[in-house]
Each structure stands twice: as C-alpha cells, then as structure tokens.
Amino acid sequence: MAKGGRKGPKGKKITLKVAKNCIKVTFDGRKRLDLSKMGITTFPKCILKLNDVDELDMSRNMIKKIPETINKFQNLRWLDLHSNFIEKLPDTIGELTSLHYLNLCNNKLTTNTLPVELKELKNLRVLNLGLNHIDNIPTTLGQLKELHEMGAFDNLLTTIPTSIAKLPKLKKLNVKRNPFPQEDESAEFIDSIKRLENLYLVEGKDLCGPCLKKCQDARDKLNKIKSMAPAQARKPNFMNLINPNSTAKESQEEWRISPKISSPKISSPKISSPKISSPKISQSQTLLESPS
C-alpha cells in the first residue's frame, strides 16, 4: 500500500457530551464554554447546539479555520481564539454585535485576512491582534468607539492610523516590537493617549519558567517598596473617655451656668434681706434679666 501525502496532526474529537461537560459558570453568573488546550484542529460543529453561551474559549489549540456559522453565537460577549493557526476570519464575525472581548493573538492573520466587518462590533472593549503577520491596522477599526484596549504588538506595522488615535475611549495601545521607521515618533504617539494602569491576571501554571520568575521578582520588589512606605498617622481614639469631647461640647452651657445657680451665694441671707426691695438691681437679676 502506497503511502499517502503528509497529513496534519490528528486532533481530539469533541462530541456534544464532551462539550456540555466543559460548560462552566463564571463568578458573575455567565455561561462559559471552555475548550482551551484540548488539541482541537477543526472547529467542532456540535457546539453550535450550545450557542446560548455567553463566553467561548477555544484558545491554545490547532484550529486553522473559523466557520461562517460562528454568527450563531448571538449571546457571545467574550471570544478567545488566541494561540491557534487561524489564517482568516469569516465575514460573519461582524454579526457578533454583543462582543465585548475578542482575543485573536498568536495566529497567522494578515491585514488582508482581517474582514472589514470587524468595524460592526460596536460594543467591543478589548481587541488583541498581537503576534500575527499584520503590516497595517485597518483604518475601519477607528469606528469601534467603545474600544478601551488594543493589542497589535509583534506584528509588521510601520505606521499607526490616526483613526485609532482618535478613538475616544482608548486607554491602552500596545504596539511594541514592530518595525517602525522612527521609534521616537511612535512612542510620542502612544504617550499622547491617556491611559490607566492595567492589571492582567494569569495562572502560574500557564507561564513558562522565566516569565513566572520575572513576575515573582516584580511582585517581591513591589512588596518591598510598600513595606518601606511610612505608615499613616492614626487619629486619636477617645473611646476610653467617660465623657467624650462631643458630649462635653453639647452640654457646656449647662455645666457653665448651673454651678452659679446652685452656688451658696444665691441662697445666702443677703438675697432675702429687705434690701431686695430697694431700687438697685440684684445680683440674681443680672444673671437672668437685662436692665430696662
């Protein structure tokens, strides 16, 4: 028997039963279908029956093609396809108008294989196109007015469209390790965008040894800086006082006047003496009345 042509790696077959067992509920109550790191080479058609999920994770597989039927997942808010062999995206991806997060990092996409329909993802907040073969960011992505973060690092970019710079809500743009002709100009462009500090969380088991050590060293350095910071002065605590200052302040009129009223001088014989009938104003009158 003659040997046939060289075939690609045989991926794991995903059945509907297997897929159902991979559905998880996130901390905020969303349904996530997690098929990551399963050695999948072909998009499993059976998962179209689970198109009510909110999140779909098919990252770190060997998928080359995303079918047109991806538009069946109309509830999708989160789609992760990073680290596959995807060469082209279907036009129907623009129909996933509920998407907030789209990760296409580490694939084989080019400028020509990015569909124009990406501009229809009006609710998209995060778009990651890093680690591909893109030599120009489509200017049409400037229509993604809700975009907060964009990754285009490790590509073949030589310019950045001004339409991206004008995105009103863009806070983070990562275009590191691209062959820009003048790095100073690209850095100046990036710094012109108002950005916030970002925190990315990843499980330690998903990091390589050097990356994990780098993160641990950075964490230890931060903890050391925090431990050297001067402690804030504590406000005085008056919990053990019998009468707090606030109570004393409220009753100050009472404890200032009452001793004078109850003093022995008021009940002295001089008050009841015949001199009270004299036209002179008595001492007790001066405390309670004003002279006419």
Side-chain angles (χ1 to χ4, degrees):
M1 181 177 177
K3 293 183 178 179
R6 183 178 180 183
K7 296 182 179 180
K10 187 177 180 180
K12 180 178 180 180
K13 184 178 180 181
I14 301 298
T15 63
L16 183 60
K17 182 178 180 181
V18 171
K20 285 182 177 179
N21 290 333
C22 292
I23 293 179
K24 304 175 182 178
V25 179
T26 63
F27 70 94
D28 53 352
R30 302 189 185 281
K31 291 171 64 177
R32 174 184 293 183
L33 176 54
D34 188 354
L35 298 175
S36 63
K37 298 183 290 187
M38 297 189 71
I40 303 172
T41 57
T42 304
F43 191 95
K45 294 181 180 179
C46 65
I47 68 173
L48 295 175
K49 296 181 180 179
L50 305 175
N51 58 9
D52 62 335
V53 296
D54 304 295
E55 302 181 359
L56 176 59
D57 187 353
M58 300 191 70
S59 63
R60 288 167 283 190
N61 283 294
M62 296 177 284
I63 300 171
K64 292 183 178 181
K65 184 179 179 181
I66 302 298
E68 297 283 340
T69 50
I70 190 70
N71 62 348
K72 300 295 183 182
F73 292 89
Q74 283 297 303
N75 293 337
L76 272 191
R77 294 168 56 91
W78 194 90
L79 177 58
D80 194 345
L81 298 171
H82 86 265
S83 301
N84 278 283
F85 300 128
I86 301 171
E87 298 177 350
K88 184 179 180 180
L89 293 174
D91 297 343
T92 53
I93 198 170
E95 299 177 24
L96 302 178
T97 53
S98 296
L99 269 188
H100 283 203
Y101 175 94
L102 177 58
N103 191 351
L104 300 168
C105 176
N106 195 21
N107 279 286
K108 295 185 177 182
L109 296 169
T110 66
T111 303
N112 294 331
T113 58
L114 290 176
V116 178
E117 286 75 12
L118 283 175
K119 68 179 182 179
E120 303 299 331
L121 303 178
K122 302 298 185 182
N123 292 307
L124 199 63
R125 266 69 165 174
V126 180
L127 174 61
N128 192 348
L129 298 172
L131 284 165
N132 278 284
H133 305 292
I134 302 170
D135 56 14
N136 188 26
I137 298 176
T139 57
T140 52
L141 294 184
Q143 298 183 34
L144 303 178
K145 303 301 181 183
E146 295 296 322
L147 200 64
H148 287 64
E149 299 182 19
M150 182 175 180
F153 51 90
D154 293 289
N155 275 287
L156 304 172
L157 302 177
T158 55
T159 60
I160 302 173
T162 54
S163 60
I164 302 300
K166 293 181 180 179
L167 285 172
K169 297 184 180 181
L170 189 64
K171 298 178 181 178
K172 183 176 179 63
L173 175 63
N174 188 347
V175 290
K176 294 181 179 179
R177 295 178 296 278
N178 277 283
F180 293 112
Q182 296 180 0
E183 294 185 2
D184 293 340
E185 290 184 6
S186 62
E188 183 178 354
F189 168 82
I190 296 170
D191 290 338
S192 68
I193 301 176
K194 184 179 180 181
R195 303 184 303 279
L196 297 179
E197 292 296 329
N198 291 269
L199 175 64
Y200 295 91
L201 301 180
V202 63
E203 294 184 30
K205 63 182 177 65
D206 292 331
L207 292 174
C208 62
C211 291
L212 180 59
K213 187 177 186 306
K214 186 176 181 180
C215 291
Q216 291 172 339
D217 292 343
R219 180 194 60 191
D220 295 340
K221 183 177 180 180
L222 179 61
N223 290 336
K224 184 177 180 180
I225 294 173
K226 290 172 67 176
S227 65
M228 295 172 62
Q232 294 182 352
R234 293 185 178 180
K235 294 182 179 180
N237 189 350
F238 299 105
M239 293 298 293
N240 294 327
L241 291 178
I242 298 176
N243 292 318
N245 291 347
S246 57
T247 305
K249 185 176 180 180
E250 292 175 0
S251 59
Q252 62 179 338
E253 184 177 353
E254 179 182 348
W255 55 255
R256 283 182 178 176
I257 296 177
S258 57
K260 295 183 180 180
I261 295 175
S262 60
S263 64
K265 293 182 180 180
I266 296 176
S267 59
S268 63
K270 292 182 180 180
I271 296 176
S272 58
S273 64
K275 293 182 179 180
I276 295 177
S277 59
S278 64
K280 295 182 179 180
I281 299 172
S282 65
Q283 182 180 0
S284 61
Q285 284 179 313
T286 59
L287 292 175
L288 305 175
E289 301 176 4
S290 59
S292 56

